[in-house]
Amino acid sequence: MRNTGSALAGLATLSLALAGCGKVDPVHHLPPQVAPGGCDEIITFGARLPLPQSSLEGPPQPGAEEAWQTDPRSDPVGLKLLDALGQTPTYEESMVPGQQAVSESVLILSGGSQQGAFGAGFMSAWEQHRGGSLPRFKLVTGISTGALQATFAFLGDTKTIVEEYSITSEKELLKPLVPGKFEQKPIRAALSLTTEGTIARLEPLREELKRLINQATLEKVAAEKAQGRTLLVGAVEMGSGEMAVFDLTKAAALYVENLTSNPDRAKQMRGCYIEALLASSSVPMSADPVFIDNRLYIDGGARFGVLVDLTANAFKQKVAEAKALERAADVPRNLFLIVNATLEVPAFCGLSKCPVGADGKPETPPPGTPHPKWTFLQLAQRTVSVMTNQAYRSSVFIADQQHGTEEFDTSFVRLEPEHLRYETAIDFPGAGQEEKICYQWQRDDEAIDNPKEFFPRYMRCLIAYGKQHPEAAKFAAAEPR
């Protein structure tokens, strides 16, 4: 732990460096990744929660607040969701020879960074419990790590999802500009934030996405759009502060449509698709923001942990319409919600992680123990962690509560904190056959590689934990093959 004196000395050194000789140039702008106007066709802005009416605005308007709760048409994103859900087909209309029928269900995938490895394992188990396929969801939405999973969940390819979270080195996803963690090199971290705008870059992830989001993948996504299915991911546009919802099925369709007649436009739409995934995953400070159409985007988790603010209400409205028209009344309708996070704020002692016992449980100091010294970087990191956790918990609560059992069922799973005590062997270079709990695999990562954000052995343990989770069988039973 750095003491106050050394922290002040560090800040003084940093101030001199920033002020002296013009050698340190703060970042003011990064060039756009996609040409201006190129992605506008696939973006919808909105999803802002309503405010109560102020007494200064006059007498309350009847039903003003309830409009958001009952009518998705009150918001541009709500309208987008209604369009995505479309008209419920009859069972005969939804059948295609040789294919599983399009489901009337929705899959929502949350953020959670490396803990997306849990969702990868869970979806693999879900697929196995259904005899080798996921439902062909009417709508799939993803935020952050959930956005990275969403394309292949949409296509029912859990093998690729598991492979992408089975990394052997953090460098496969992230290019650190400062070795180690914030607290280990606070001055270098502060300098990097000032000169580069970040302490790491997502270039390795961008290159991997270029490999994955290829012509074959985009053609498959476009073909699913033609059958009435939709894939959406969310990021936050920092100019307006609003959620930006990217319609990736539309991007794929435009790519295919222009592939022969206008190759440059097709290339641009593929770029829009890839940059939307990166934008949704760009956590401030940990990765640089993404520019699309000269707008700056960051991780969608800054506003919502899951893209749900109007999803459940739009779903409810569509189900009510289908029942009124007696269309496919016996088709299962489920809102499946996978949370790639514990939704808990990790226990800290002061502003550092508490010591943890061999069983993975934090060991908090006894009452009356003097509070340790702190630094600004520690406080900033912890503040972001607490605020993000609250956004995630609020989003998940809305997703799970805004429904009526007569309209559809909700299946919910999250990464339980007890996962740290799950014991398993992992398929990892040098790991051998020894079984360890996830916490111990995490400690091995720290001791051997000292990663910044992605712990490869721990992620393998999370995949194994997800594969054995009992809720996977319940998800499969909610919508049998």
Short mmCIF file of all heavy atoms in Angstrom, two decimals, residues 193-238:
data_model
loop_
_atom_site.label_atom_id
_atom_site.label_comp_id
_atom_site.label_asym_id
_atom_site.label_seq_id
_atom_site.Cartn_x
_atom_site.Cartn_y
_atom_site.Cartn_z
N LEU A 193 -2.92 7.35 -18.97
CA LEU A 193 -4.27 7.89 -19.12
C LEU A 193 -4.24 9.28 -19.73
O LEU A 193 -5.11 9.65 -20.53
CB LEU A 193 -4.98 7.93 -17.76
CG LEU A 193 -5.43 6.59 -17.19
CD1 LEU A 193 -5.93 6.76 -15.76
CD2 LEU A 193 -6.52 5.97 -18.05
N THR A 194 -3.22 10.07 -19.37
CA THR A 194 -3.13 11.43 -19.87
C THR A 194 -2.64 11.47 -21.32
O THR A 194 -3.18 12.19 -22.16
CB THR A 194 -2.17 12.26 -18.99
OG1 THR A 194 -2.65 12.24 -17.65
CG2 THR A 194 -2.09 13.69 -19.47
N THR A 195 -1.63 10.66 -21.63
CA THR A 195 -1.03 10.73 -22.97
C THR A 195 -1.73 9.84 -23.99
O THR A 195 -1.74 10.15 -25.18
CB THR A 195 0.45 10.32 -22.90
OG1 THR A 195 0.54 8.98 -22.38
CG2 THR A 195 1.23 11.27 -22.00
N GLU A 196 -2.30 8.74 -23.54
CA GLU A 196 -2.92 7.78 -24.46
C GLU A 196 -4.44 7.69 -24.29
O GLU A 196 -5.12 7.11 -25.13
CB GLU A 196 -2.31 6.39 -24.25
CG GLU A 196 -0.80 6.32 -24.43
CD GLU A 196 -0.38 6.59 -25.87
OE1 GLU A 196 -1.21 6.37 -26.78
OE2 GLU A 196 0.77 7.01 -26.08
N GLY A 197 -4.95 8.23 -23.18
CA GLY A 197 -6.39 8.15 -22.93
C GLY A 197 -6.83 6.83 -22.36
O GLY A 197 -8.03 6.61 -22.12
N THR A 198 -5.91 5.90 -22.11
CA THR A 198 -6.25 4.57 -21.64
C THR A 198 -4.98 3.90 -21.10
O THR A 198 -3.87 4.40 -21.31
CB THR A 198 -6.83 3.72 -22.79
OG1 THR A 198 -7.17 2.43 -22.30
CG2 THR A 198 -5.85 3.59 -23.94
N ILE A 199 -5.16 2.76 -20.42
CA ILE A 199 -3.99 1.99 -19.99
C ILE A 199 -3.87 0.69 -20.79
O ILE A 199 -2.98 -0.11 -20.54
CB ILE A 199 -4.04 1.67 -18.48
CG1 ILE A 199 -5.31 0.90 -18.12
CG2 ILE A 199 -3.92 2.95 -17.66
CD1 ILE A 199 -5.29 0.38 -16.69
N ALA A 200 -4.78 0.51 -21.74
CA ALA A 200 -4.71 -0.69 -22.59
C ALA A 200 -5.52 -0.43 -23.86
O ALA A 200 -6.37 0.45 -23.90
CB ALA A 200 -5.24 -1.91 -21.85
N ARG A 201 -5.25 -1.21 -24.87
CA ARG A 201 -5.99 -1.11 -26.13
C ARG A 201 -6.59 -2.46 -26.50
O ARG A 201 -6.09 -3.51 -26.12
CB ARG A 201 -5.07 -0.62 -27.25
CG ARG A 201 -4.48 0.76 -27.00
CD ARG A 201 -4.02 1.40 -28.30
NE ARG A 201 -3.33 2.65 -28.05
CZ ARG A 201 -3.95 3.81 -27.77
NH1 ARG A 201 -5.27 3.84 -27.68
NH2 ARG A 201 -3.26 4.91 -27.57
N LEU A 202 -7.67 -2.38 -27.28
CA LEU A 202 -8.38 -3.59 -27.67
C LEU A 202 -7.99 -4.07 -29.08
O LEU A 202 -8.75 -4.81 -29.71
CB LEU A 202 -9.90 -3.34 -27.63
CG LEU A 202 -10.51 -3.15 -26.25
CD1 LEU A 202 -11.97 -2.78 -26.36
CD2 LEU A 202 -10.35 -4.41 -25.40
N GLU A 203 -6.82 -3.68 -29.56
CA GLU A 203 -6.42 -4.07 -30.91
C GLU A 203 -6.40 -5.59 -31.11
O GLU A 203 -6.85 -6.08 -32.16
CB GLU A 203 -5.05 -3.48 -31.26
CG GLU A 203 -5.10 -2.00 -31.62
CD GLU A 203 -6.15 -1.69 -32.67
OE1 GLU A 203 -6.21 -2.40 -33.70
OE2 GLU A 203 -6.92 -0.73 -32.48
N PRO A 204 -5.90 -6.38 -30.14
CA PRO A 204 -5.96 -7.83 -30.35
C PRO A 204 -7.39 -8.34 -30.50
O PRO A 204 -7.65 -9.22 -31.33
CB PRO A 204 -5.29 -8.40 -29.09
CG PRO A 204 -4.41 -7.29 -28.61
CD PRO A 204 -5.15 -6.04 -28.91
N LEU A 205 -8.31 -7.79 -29.73
CA LEU A 205 -9.72 -8.19 -29.84
C LEU A 205 -10.27 -7.76 -31.20
O LEU A 205 -11.02 -8.51 -31.84
CB LEU A 205 -10.54 -7.58 -28.71
CG LEU A 205 -12.05 -7.83 -28.77
CD1 LEU A 205 -12.36 -9.32 -28.75
CD2 LEU A 205 -12.76 -7.12 -27.61
N ARG A 206 -9.90 -6.56 -31.65
CA ARG A 206 -10.38 -6.10 -32.96
C ARG A 206 -9.92 -7.07 -34.06
O ARG A 206 -10.69 -7.42 -34.95
CB ARG A 206 -9.86 -4.69 -33.23
CG ARG A 206 -10.27 -4.16 -34.59
CD ARG A 206 -9.80 -2.73 -34.83
NE ARG A 206 -10.74 -1.76 -34.28
CZ ARG A 206 -10.48 -0.96 -33.25
NH1 ARG A 206 -9.30 -1.02 -32.64
NH2 ARG A 206 -11.37 -0.10 -32.81
N GLU A 207 -8.67 -7.50 -33.99
CA GLU A 207 -8.15 -8.43 -35.01
C GLU A 207 -8.88 -9.76 -34.94
O GLU A 207 -9.16 -10.38 -35.97
CB GLU A 207 -6.64 -8.62 -34.83
CG GLU A 207 -5.82 -7.37 -35.15
CD GLU A 207 -6.10 -6.83 -36.55
OE1 GLU A 207 -6.05 -7.63 -37.52
OE2 GLU A 207 -6.37 -5.62 -36.69
N GLU A 208 -9.18 -10.21 -33.73
CA GLU A 208 -9.91 -11.47 -33.60
C GLU A 208 -11.33 -11.35 -34.14
O GLU A 208 -11.84 -12.27 -34.79
CB GLU A 208 -9.94 -11.90 -32.12
CG GLU A 208 -10.66 -13.21 -31.84
CD GLU A 208 -10.00 -14.42 -32.50
OE1 GLU A 208 -8.87 -14.30 -33.04
OE2 GLU A 208 -10.62 -15.50 -32.47
N LEU A 209 -11.96 -10.20 -33.91
CA LEU A 209 -13.31 -9.99 -34.44
C LEU A 209 -13.29 -9.92 -35.97
O LEU A 209 -14.23 -10.39 -36.63
CB LEU A 209 -13.91 -8.71 -33.86
CG LEU A 209 -14.32 -8.78 -32.39
CD1 LEU A 209 -14.76 -7.41 -31.89
CD2 LEU A 209 -15.44 -9.79 -32.19
N LYS A 210 -12.24 -9.37 -36.53
CA LYS A 210 -12.13 -9.36 -38.00
C LYS A 210 -12.07 -10.78 -38.55
O LYS A 210 -12.58 -11.06 -39.64
CB LYS A 210 -10.88 -8.57 -38.43
CG LYS A 210 -11.00 -7.06 -38.23
CD LYS A 210 -9.71 -6.37 -38.65
CE LYS A 210 -9.80 -4.86 -38.44
NZ LYS A 210 -8.52 -4.18 -38.80
N ARG A 211 -11.45 -11.67 -37.79
CA ARG A 211 -11.39 -13.07 -38.21
C ARG A 211 -12.76 -13.74 -38.08
O ARG A 211 -13.18 -14.50 -38.96
CB ARG A 211 -10.35 -13.82 -37.37
CG ARG A 211 -10.17 -15.28 -37.79
CD ARG A 211 -9.20 -15.99 -36.86
NE ARG A 211 -9.77 -16.26 -35.57
CZ ARG A 211 -10.57 -17.31 -35.30
NH1 ARG A 211 -10.91 -18.15 -36.26
NH2 ARG A 211 -11.03 -17.49 -34.08
N LEU A 212 -13.45 -13.45 -36.99
CA LEU A 212 -14.72 -14.12 -36.70
C LEU A 212 -15.88 -13.57 -37.52
O LEU A 212 -16.73 -14.32 -38.00
CB LEU A 212 -15.04 -14.00 -35.21
CG LEU A 212 -14.16 -14.77 -34.24
CD1 LEU A 212 -14.44 -14.35 -32.82
CD2 LEU A 212 -14.37 -16.27 -34.40
N ILE A 213 -15.93 -12.24 -37.65
CA ILE A 213 -17.05 -11.61 -38.37
C ILE A 213 -16.66 -11.53 -39.84
O ILE A 213 -16.35 -10.47 -40.38
CB ILE A 213 -17.39 -10.23 -37.77
CG1 ILE A 213 -17.59 -10.34 -36.25
CG2 ILE A 213 -18.65 -9.66 -38.43
CD1 ILE A 213 -18.68 -11.33 -35.83
N ASN A 214 -16.64 -12.68 -40.47
CA ASN A 214 -16.23 -12.79 -41.86
C ASN A 214 -17.45 -12.90 -42.76
O ASN A 214 -18.60 -12.80 -42.30
CB ASN A 214 -15.29 -13.99 -42.03
CG ASN A 214 -15.89 -15.26 -41.44
OD1 ASN A 214 -17.11 -15.47 -41.51
ND2 ASN A 214 -15.06 -16.11 -40.87
N GLN A 215 -17.20 -13.12 -44.04
CA GLN A 215 -18.32 -13.18 -44.99
C GLN A 215 -19.29 -14.30 -44.65
O GLN A 215 -20.51 -14.10 -44.68
CB GLN A 215 -17.78 -13.38 -46.42
CG GLN A 215 -18.89 -13.46 -47.47
CD GLN A 215 -18.37 -13.53 -48.89
OE1 GLN A 215 -17.26 -13.07 -49.17
NE2 GLN A 215 -19.13 -14.11 -49.79
N ALA A 216 -18.78 -15.47 -44.28
CA ALA A 216 -19.66 -16.60 -43.97
C ALA A 216 -20.55 -16.30 -42.78
O ALA A 216 -21.76 -16.59 -42.80
CB ALA A 216 -18.82 -17.85 -43.71
N THR A 217 -19.97 -15.68 -41.73
CA THR A 217 -20.76 -15.34 -40.55
C THR A 217 -21.84 -14.32 -40.89
O THR A 217 -23.00 -14.47 -40.50
CB THR A 217 -19.84 -14.78 -39.45
OG1 THR A 217 -18.89 -15.78 -39.06
CG2 THR A 217 -20.64 -14.35 -38.23
N LEU A 218 -21.47 -13.28 -41.63
CA LEU A 218 -22.43 -12.24 -41.97
C LEU A 218 -23.55 -12.78 -42.86
O LEU A 218 -24.71 -12.38 -42.72
CB LEU A 218 -21.71 -11.08 -42.65
CG LEU A 218 -20.79 -10.26 -41.73
CD1 LEU A 218 -19.91 -9.33 -42.54
CD2 LEU A 218 -21.57 -9.49 -40.68
N GLU A 219 -23.23 -13.69 -43.75
CA GLU A 219 -24.27 -14.29 -44.59
C GLU A 219 -25.25 -15.11 -43.76
O GLU A 219 -26.46 -15.11 -44.02
CB GLU A 219 -23.62 -15.15 -45.68
CG GLU A 219 -22.96 -14.32 -46.77
CD GLU A 219 -22.23 -15.18 -47.80
OE1 GLU A 219 -21.96 -16.37 -47.50
OE2 GLU A 219 -21.91 -14.65 -48.90
N LYS A 220 -24.74 -15.79 -42.73
CA LYS A 220 -25.62 -16.57 -41.85
C LYS A 220 -26.54 -15.64 -41.05
O LYS A 220 -27.74 -15.91 -40.90
CB LYS A 220 -24.79 -17.42 -40.89
CG LYS A 220 -24.07 -18.57 -41.56
CD LYS A 220 -23.20 -19.31 -40.54
CE LYS A 220 -22.37 -20.40 -41.20
NZ LYS A 220 -21.47 -21.07 -40.24
N VAL A 221 -25.97 -14.55 -40.53
CA VAL A 221 -26.79 -13.60 -39.75
C VAL A 221 -27.85 -12.98 -40.65
O VAL A 221 -29.02 -12.85 -40.26
CB VAL A 221 -25.90 -12.51 -39.12
CG1 VAL A 221 -26.75 -11.42 -38.47
CG2 VAL A 221 -24.95 -13.13 -38.08
N ALA A 222 -27.47 -12.60 -41.88
CA ALA A 222 -28.43 -12.01 -42.81
C ALA A 222 -29.54 -12.99 -43.15
O ALA A 222 -30.72 -12.59 -43.28
CB ALA A 222 -27.70 -11.56 -44.09
N ALA A 223 -29.20 -14.27 -43.30
CA ALA A 223 -30.22 -15.27 -43.62
C ALA A 223 -31.22 -15.41 -42.48
O ALA A 223 -32.42 -15.61 -42.71
CB ALA A 223 -29.54 -16.62 -43.89
N GLU A 224 -30.76 -15.26 -41.24
CA GLU A 224 -31.67 -15.35 -40.09
C GLU A 224 -32.57 -14.11 -40.03
O GLU A 224 -33.74 -14.21 -39.63
CB GLU A 224 -30.87 -15.49 -38.79
CG GLU A 224 -30.12 -16.81 -38.67
CD GLU A 224 -31.03 -18.02 -38.73
OE1 GLU A 224 -32.13 -17.98 -38.13
OE2 GLU A 224 -30.65 -19.02 -39.39
N LYS A 225 -32.04 -12.96 -40.43
CA LYS A 225 -32.89 -11.76 -40.47
C LYS A 225 -34.04 -11.97 -41.45
O LYS A 225 -35.18 -11.55 -41.20
CB LYS A 225 -32.07 -10.54 -40.90
CG LYS A 225 -32.92 -9.27 -41.09
CD LYS A 225 -32.09 -8.08 -41.49
CE LYS A 225 -32.95 -6.88 -41.88
NZ LYS A 225 -33.91 -6.49 -40.84
N ALA A 226 -33.76 -12.63 -42.55
CA ALA A 226 -34.80 -12.88 -43.56
C ALA A 226 -35.93 -13.74 -43.01
O ALA A 226 -37.03 -13.74 -43.57
CB ALA A 226 -34.16 -13.55 -44.78
N GLN A 227 -35.67 -14.44 -41.91
CA GLN A 227 -36.70 -15.25 -41.28
C GLN A 227 -37.30 -14.58 -40.04
O GLN A 227 -37.91 -15.23 -39.20
CB GLN A 227 -36.14 -16.64 -40.93
CG GLN A 227 -35.76 -17.42 -42.18
CD GLN A 227 -35.44 -18.86 -41.89
OE1 GLN A 227 -36.01 -19.47 -40.99
NE2 GLN A 227 -34.53 -19.42 -42.66
N GLY A 228 -37.10 -13.27 -39.94
CA GLY A 228 -37.77 -12.50 -38.90
C GLY A 228 -37.05 -12.43 -37.59
O GLY A 228 -37.64 -12.02 -36.57
N ARG A 229 -35.77 -12.77 -37.58
CA ARG A 229 -35.00 -12.72 -36.32
C ARG A 229 -34.15 -11.45 -36.27
O ARG A 229 -33.77 -10.91 -37.31
CB ARG A 229 -34.12 -13.96 -36.19
CG ARG A 229 -34.90 -15.28 -36.25
CD ARG A 229 -33.97 -16.46 -36.09
NE ARG A 229 -33.31 -16.43 -34.79
CZ ARG A 229 -32.11 -16.96 -34.55
NH1 ARG A 229 -31.40 -17.50 -35.54
NH2 ARG A 229 -31.60 -16.91 -33.33
N THR A 230 -33.83 -11.00 -35.04
CA THR A 230 -33.08 -9.74 -34.86
C THR A 230 -32.01 -9.89 -33.81
O THR A 230 -32.21 -10.55 -32.78
CB THR A 230 -34.02 -8.60 -34.47
OG1 THR A 230 -35.07 -8.49 -35.44
CG2 THR A 230 -33.29 -7.26 -34.41
N LEU A 231 -30.86 -9.26 -34.06
CA LEU A 231 -29.71 -9.25 -33.15
C LEU A 231 -29.33 -7.80 -32.86
O LEU A 231 -29.01 -7.05 -33.78
CB LEU A 231 -28.55 -10.00 -33.80
CG LEU A 231 -27.17 -9.93 -33.14
CD1 LEU A 231 -27.22 -10.52 -31.74
CD2 LEU A 231 -26.14 -10.67 -34.01
N LEU A 232 -29.38 -7.40 -31.58
CA LEU A 232 -29.09 -6.03 -31.19
C LEU A 232 -28.02 -6.00 -30.10
O LEU A 232 -28.02 -6.84 -29.20
CB LEU A 232 -30.35 -5.34 -30.63
CG LEU A 232 -31.61 -5.33 -31.51
CD1 LEU A 232 -32.77 -4.74 -30.73
CD2 LEU A 232 -31.37 -4.55 -32.80
N VAL A 233 -27.12 -5.00 -30.18
CA VAL A 233 -26.17 -4.77 -29.09
C VAL A 233 -26.19 -3.28 -28.73
O VAL A 233 -26.56 -2.44 -29.55
CB VAL A 233 -24.73 -5.21 -29.46
CG1 VAL A 233 -24.69 -6.69 -29.81
CG2 VAL A 233 -24.16 -4.37 -30.60
N GLY A 234 -25.78 -2.97 -27.50
CA GLY A 234 -25.85 -1.59 -27.03
C GLY A 234 -24.52 -1.03 -26.59
O GLY A 234 -23.68 -1.75 -26.03
N ALA A 235 -24.31 0.25 -26.85
CA ALA A 235 -23.16 1.01 -26.35
C ALA A 235 -23.68 2.37 -25.92
O ALA A 235 -24.83 2.73 -26.20
CB ALA A 235 -22.09 1.15 -27.43
N VAL A 236 -22.85 3.15 -25.26
CA VAL A 236 -23.25 4.49 -24.83
C VAL A 236 -22.55 5.52 -25.70
O VAL A 236 -21.32 5.51 -25.84
CB VAL A 236 -22.91 4.73 -23.35
CG1 VAL A 236 -23.25 6.17 -22.96
CG2 VAL A 236 -23.67 3.76 -22.46
N GLU A 237 -23.35 6.42 -26.32
CA GLU A 237 -22.80 7.52 -27.11
C GLU A 237 -22.57 8.68 -26.16
O GLU A 237 -23.50 9.19 -25.54
CB GLU A 237 -23.80 7.89 -28.21
CG GLU A 237 -23.19 8.74 -29.32
CD GLU A 237 -23.14 10.22 -28.95
OE1 GLU A 237 -24.20 10.77 -28.63
OE2 GLU A 237 -22.03 10.80 -29.00
N MET A 238 -21.32 9.11 -26.03
CA MET A 238 -20.95 10.03 -24.96
C MET A 238 -21.38 11.46 -25.22
O MET A 238 -21.46 12.25 -24.27
CB MET A 238 -19.44 9.96 -24.72
CG MET A 238 -18.99 8.61 -24.20
SD MET A 238 -19.84 8.15 -22.66
CE MET A 238 -18.98 9.21 -21.50
#
